[in-house]
Amino acid sequence: MAEARIVDTRERILDAGERLFMVHGYDGTSMRQITSEAAVNLAAVNYHFGSKESLMQEVFRRRLGWLNSERISLLNKLEAESEGKPLKPSQIVDAFFGTLLGIAADESRGGMTFLRLLGRTLTEPSEFIRAVLMDEYAEVLERYKQALFRALPDVPKAEIVWRFHFMLGATSYAIAGTDALRVITDWQIEAEDSTDRLDRLLPRLMSFLLGGLRAPLPQFESVTVDGK
Amino acid sequence: MAEARIVDTRERILDAGERLFMVHGYDGTSMRQITSEAAVNLAAVNYHFGSKESLMQEVFRRRLGWLNSERISLLNKLEAESEGKPLKPSQIVDAFFGTLLGIAADESRGGMTFLRLLGRTLTEPSEFIRAVLMDEYAEVLERYKQALFRALPDVPKAEIVWRFHFMLGATSYAIAGTDALRVITDWQIEAEDSTDRLDRLLPRLMSFLLGGLRAPLPQFESVTVDGK
DNA sequence: TTAAGATTCAAACGAACGTATGAATTGTTT
DNA sequence: AAACAATTCATACGTTCGTTTGAATCTTAA
């Protein structure tokens, strides 16, 4: 069976690349590491994907395609059910970030490995990676932005955009930095095993995000660094 | 004057490294790029710093030393003034994140360049970089964590730790990703010039962070993705 | 069974990497 | 001015990088 072999090789490369890019970053990962971990020949990456950059693109495309179409159809469903009335902010936030966090427990969608790769990549403004993310994300972000505008008609649009931005940051960091911060500090987050921690991350994060989204609007006059 | 020359060379290297590490990351930046931008000889980095890794360490140490001692003394001052009573959460958040954001407008402390480097580095779990950050950050994080515990005696400590974590993420992303997200989407955040945007970032972020910090506690039972 | 196509393989390519060296230059001290 | 130390410089070292190549192997189909 030729197809099985091809798929195996391609997917083994994608899996290895996903994991290694997550741990060491794009520039910190070599083709030899990838092909070695995937147990394929060095030339296989260039044969199947063309180049290292194309491999990175495919690593993202494989996961983001599903994630974002899921987000879109979830939003469509919510809006269909609401019959023209604005959605609740919590519904929107839940749909966007809940779908994302749901990947953590689903190894077939990339699991924590892909989530952490995505989290760290959002702060790496490498030119071609930004292009890939922009390509995959533009439509989804626009749809959710508009939904939030309708859900919060009294909040200035600029403020909503910023707070969406902050929510993305808190989330991406909550995922990507989970281990990093635990090492940076020696915080003992009580005795939660890792599945417990994961189960509880979503409600914890959601409370935080909604609290931030619905916070009182800032006052811009006479603001100083020391808060006086 | 020999000293002036030494300092010039060292600082030019540090400045160039800071900027290039911010743009391209550690692995994506070569010594030849750094020495070329700094207009010094290729061997100067190894002469003055010993290695590329040591240079990276020094780039952080140069800025984090001041930042964190500032944070500590600010907290000391606040606690001295409060005469044993717990601080207000907003004071603590202001002291920690306000000091950080204050760097943005202060070129002599690194400005936006260093802030964005710091932001993107927190999601890069490279071994030796983590060690540097841990070294510089451990004391400050512990002090502020304890202050938050006292300020919010009714909130479980694990919850506070998580929310501090989320706040760090929102902030780091707000800084590091400012341009990235503006490119990912084509959001027009009205007609604010960049200094206006910077002036308003702090109050905007602070409102969001405090809203998240003081949000209702999450309910862990029967939580589903769609929030029903 | 055999020809054609798809995939894997070992080996090599030039380029760029971080680092080291020893001579040349500059600055300081006597 | 001479001796000494500190710094800069051009150059080269050995490695590793991403990519390419052409032969070998495997799969599919006539």
Side-chain angles (χ1 to χ4, degrees), chain A residues 200 202-208 210-211 214, chain B residues 152-163 211-221 223:
Chain A
R200 296 181 172 203
L202 181 59
R204 278 178 165 141
L205 179 60
M206 221 55 85
S207 295
F208 180 87
L210 284 173
R214 295 190 285 219
Chain B
L152 299 163
D154 299 330
V155 181
K157 292 185 178 183
E159 221 61 46
I160 294 178
V161 170
W162 274 108
R163 290 181 175 189
L213 180 60
R214 295 189 285 218
L217 293 181
Q219 307 298 323
F220 291 120
E221 55 224 342
V223 176

Side-chain angles (χ1 to χ4, degrees), chain B residues 108-127:
Chain B
S108 77
R109 305 293 182 196
M112 276 298 286
T113 303
F114 175 69
L115 279 191
R116 295 173 65 178
L117 171 62
L118 185 59
R120 75 172 285 172
T121 304
L122 289 175
T123 56
E124 283 186 27
S126 158
E127 202 49 60

Side-chain angles (χ1 to χ4, degrees), chain B residues 21-224:
Chain B
F21 287 148
M22 180 269 283
V23 176
H24 302 114
Y26 177 78
D27 288 306
T29 303
S30 71
M31 316 236 69
R32 285 164 179 82
Q33 283 178 276
I34 295 172
T35 52
S36 165
E37 172 152 328
V40 301
N41 188 269
L42 170 61
V45 173
N46 287 284
Y47 177 76
H48 285 285
F49 300 96
S51 69
K52 188 186 177 187
E53 287 203 358
S54 301
L55 169 61
M56 180 69 151
Q57 290 186 29
E58 193 51 35
V59 165
F60 278 99
R61 243 183 263 285
R62 171 170 76 144
R63 308 296 191 190
L64 288 181
W66 175 85
L67 170 65
N68 285 331
S69 70
E70 189 74 5
R71 281 165 159 169
I72 292 282
S73 66
L74 195 49
L75 191 56
N76 284 340
K77 204 188 81 182
L78 287 173
E79 289 181 338
E81 288 171 358
S82 79
E83 294 163 344
K85 280 180 297 189
L87 300 176
K88 289 176 11 184
S90 66
Q91 289 180 295
I92 300 169
V93 173
D94 236 40
F96 190 89
F97 294 99
T99 311
L100 181 69
L101 272 285
I103 289 181
D106 188 346
E107 219 57 42
S108 77
R109 305 293 182 196
M112 276 298 286
T113 303
F114 175 69
L115 279 191
R116 295 173 65 178
L117 171 62
L118 185 59
R120 75 172 285 172
T121 304
L122 289 175
T123 56
E124 283 186 27
S126 158
E127 202 49 60
F128 85 95
I129 295 180
R130 263 221 307 253
V132 176
L133 291 181
M134 174 174 155
D135 219 44
E136 300 281 338
Y137 255 118
E139 184 197 355
V140 184
L141 288 178
E142 183 61 26
R143 283 290 310 272
Y144 274 79
K145 189 189 66 170
Q146 295 298 338
L148 282 175
F149 286 170
R150 280 195 300 273
L152 299 163
D154 299 330
V155 181
K157 292 185 178 183
E159 221 61 46
I160 294 178
V161 170
W162 274 108
R163 290 181 175 189
F164 198 6
H165 196 164
F166 298 151
M167 289 191 286
L168 276 168
T171 305
S172 122
Y173 194 83
I175 297 160
T178 294
D179 284 7
L181 193 62
R182 197 170 46 78
V183 171
I184 285 178
T185 77
D186 55 356
W187 294 345
Q188 312 290 346
I189 306 191
E190 60 196 43
E192 299 178 359
D193 61 45
S194 69
T195 63
D196 248 31
R197 194 161 52 220
L198 203 57
D199 285 346
R200 295 180 173 205
L201 177 59
L202 181 58
R204 276 177 167 142
L205 180 60
M206 221 56 83
S207 295
F208 180 88
L209 297 182
L210 284 171
L213 180 60
R214 295 189 285 218
L217 293 181
Q219 307 298 323
F220 291 120
E221 55 224 342
S222 76
V223 176
T224 62

